[in-house]
Amino acid sequence: MGGAVVDEGPTGIKAPDGGWGWAVLWGCFVITGFSYAFPKAVSVFFKELMREFGIGYSDSAWISSILLAMLYGTGPLCSVCVNRFGCRPVMLAGGLLASLGMVAASFCGSIIQLYLTTGVITGLGLALNFQPSLIMLNRYFSRRRPMANGLAAAGSPVFLCALSPLGQLLQDHYGWRGGFLILGGLLLNCCVCAALMRPLEAPRPAAGPAPPRAPRRLLDLSVFRDRGFVVYALAASIMVLGLFVPPVFVVSYAKDLGVPDTQAAFLLTVLGFIDIFARPTAGFIAGLKKVRPYSVYLFSFAMFFNGFTDLTGSTARDYGGLVVFCIFFGISYGMVGALQFEVLMAIVGTQKFSSAIGLVLLLEAIAVLIGPPSGGKLLDATHVYQYVFVLAGAEVLTSSLVLVLGNFFCIGKRPEVAAEEERHKPPEDVRVDSREVEHFLKTEPEKNGEVVHTPETSV
């Protein structure tokens, strides 16, 4: 993610494709894991928080929603900070903020204070770590960049497998306050990862000052004139309304059925373990020559599969049924995660992808703030978990229909064809930097003039 960031670092530096880059890769792996797994892992503490503060399901669900919204919606802020201060200082500040938020949360006396500490402060800290880490990873890897981004993206399900049972263990031994305090200490590892992000230095010119770099816009709003982008943004926003609801409520659902706390927390471990293998598998299938032209329809199928899984999961009546649900949800969730940004790149092309992804994430941040709390409101009104899963499944199914029907009826050409014609159209009033052209030809010789498929778009 982090597509809204325009800080490109010094030009004229060959990516090491190894060496210290492996340390940068490890740091990116850890930060990706914390950023995406943390909002789901804190759901283990929801039952205890509800007893402590006398609140409902919707009130506790706001914690995960605010965390996700901060991660999704602060792309432009991260861009400005990186452009002004650089990657490493921003990440160090983000690691301190993330830790401070959880430590302060352990002393909170109301749910509102938890929203501000765990939600806003920790969420902002994770966001300030995530986007700069991907920038540094892409600077250190060129030839091996697809593999590097794939390994870094695997941090999300790996950490989900570890953090959920760890959170339950901490709650059992130290209570939710002690658990939050220890998790805050763990988040200080983000500062260690930030220290690994050693910037690359450009060689000094032989004579004369370096030519000034042409300024670039942070966000290109012209993407809204692309019908394909509008259809995609609408479908993605509807999808996010229900996509994150099942992982937030599945642990509480199991506890409500009488499942022991430790076994209930293990459900997220099952989901994360399946997700580890689903993401690279889906990316490999989407990259096949005969499949890639129809990646939009494959993405629509992944959303349909996810929504259908939610509907069938609502029929689970015991722990075994929930385990089967988590297995299939992990497969469909991994497919969606692997395909969503690859499809966006195919629709808008590589030149506008950075602006498009930033705008999409801002729209999704609004949906993230609505999705889990609306499910919690429904649960408070009905006290039936099945209705929550049915609502989430209906929203994701609707998004799949919006995408496939919008693509079929509203877009006359396939995204790849339109992007190809757009690239061969002579530019109007655009000044091309020769260094950017030279960098493009050197790093992508076999893909010159085509939409490039890179795993970093499948985070």
Side-chain angles (χ1 to χ4, degrees), residues 108-349:
C108 287
S110 68
I111 191 64
I112 300 298
Q113 294 174 355
L114 280 176
Y115 294 158
L116 294 176
T117 53
T118 304
V120 176
I121 299 178
T122 298
L124 177 60
L126 292 175
L128 291 175
N129 269 272
F130 181 61
Q131 288 189 271
S133 70
L134 287 185
I135 295 175
M136 292 301 299
L137 184 69
N138 291 327
R139 288 178 184 172
Y140 268 88
F141 289 91
S142 177
R143 180 172 54 87
R144 295 175 174 173
R145 188 169 60 191
M147 178 197 64
N149 279 279
L151 292 173
S156 172
V158 168
F159 269 61
L160 183 58
C161 290
L163 286 179
S164 296
L166 175 62
Q168 187 64 56
L169 184 66
L170 293 176
Q171 179 177 280
D172 293 341
H173 285 80
Y174 305 105
W176 73 267
R177 294 184 184 276
F180 275 30
L181 185 64
I182 295 174
L183 289 177
L186 286 177
L187 285 175
L188 283 175
N189 285 289
C190 292
C191 295
V192 178
C193 296
L196 297 175
M197 305 297 167
R198 187 170 63 194
L200 294 171
E201 296 184 359
R204 293 184 177 274
R213 179 183 301 177
R216 297 179 60 187
R217 289 181 293 177
L218 177 63
L219 291 175
D220 186 0
L221 298 179
S222 66
V223 293
F224 282 108
R225 294 200 294 265
D226 187 334
R227 289 179 297 176
F229 172 78
V230 173
V231 169
Y232 176 92
L234 177 61
S237 299
I238 298 174
M239 176 189 71
V240 171
L241 285 173
L243 183 64
F244 300 116
V245 171
V248 170
F249 287 98
V250 68
V251 174
S252 298
Y253 186 11
K255 293 179 180 179
D256 191 67
L257 293 176
V259 177
D261 290 352
T262 304
Q263 292 184 0
F266 184 71
L267 290 172
L268 290 181
T269 303
V270 173
L271 193 158
F273 181 78
I274 299 298
D275 191 14
I276 293 173
F277 300 98
R279 287 177 183 246
T281 302
F284 173 78
I285 295 174
L288 297 176
K289 184 178 296 185
K290 293 184 178 180
V291 177
R292 189 177 178 189
Y294 306 99
S295 58
V296 174
Y297 297 102
L298 182 62
F299 180 43
S300 180
F301 169 77
M303 292 192 293
F304 183 88
F305 184 20
N306 185 269
F308 183 76
T309 302
D310 292 343
L311 295 180
T312 56
S314 66
T315 63
R317 294 294 183 270
D318 54 24
Y319 185 69
L322 289 178
V323 169
V324 173
F325 163 74
C326 286
I327 291 174
F328 283 96
F329 185 87
I331 296 173
S332 60
Y333 188 79
M335 292 176 64
V336 170
L339 295 171
Q340 56 179 337
F341 298 131
E342 162 62 22
V343 171
L344 179 59
M345 176 175 281
I347 291 174
V348 302

Side-chain angles (χ1 to χ4, degrees), residues 41-64:
V42 294
S43 65
V44 172
F45 297 93
F46 282 0
K47 281 281 188 179
E48 189 68 23
L49 292 176
M50 291 165 59
R51 286 193 291 265
E52 173 85 12
F53 298 113
I55 57 177
Y57 293 98
S58 61
D59 299 318
S60 60
W62 268 101
I63 297 175
S64 293

Side-chain angles (χ1 to χ4, degrees), residues 80-123:
V80 173
C81 292
V82 169
N83 289 332
R84 177 65 178 85
F85 303 106
C87 291
R88 180 187 276 179
V90 171
M91 292 176 65
L92 285 170
L96 291 174
L97 277 177
S99 176
L100 176 63
M102 291 303 295
V103 171
S106 66
F107 298 96
C108 287
S110 68
I111 191 64
I112 300 298
Q113 294 174 355
L114 280 176
Y115 294 158
L116 294 176
T117 53
T118 304
V120 176
I121 299 178
T122 298

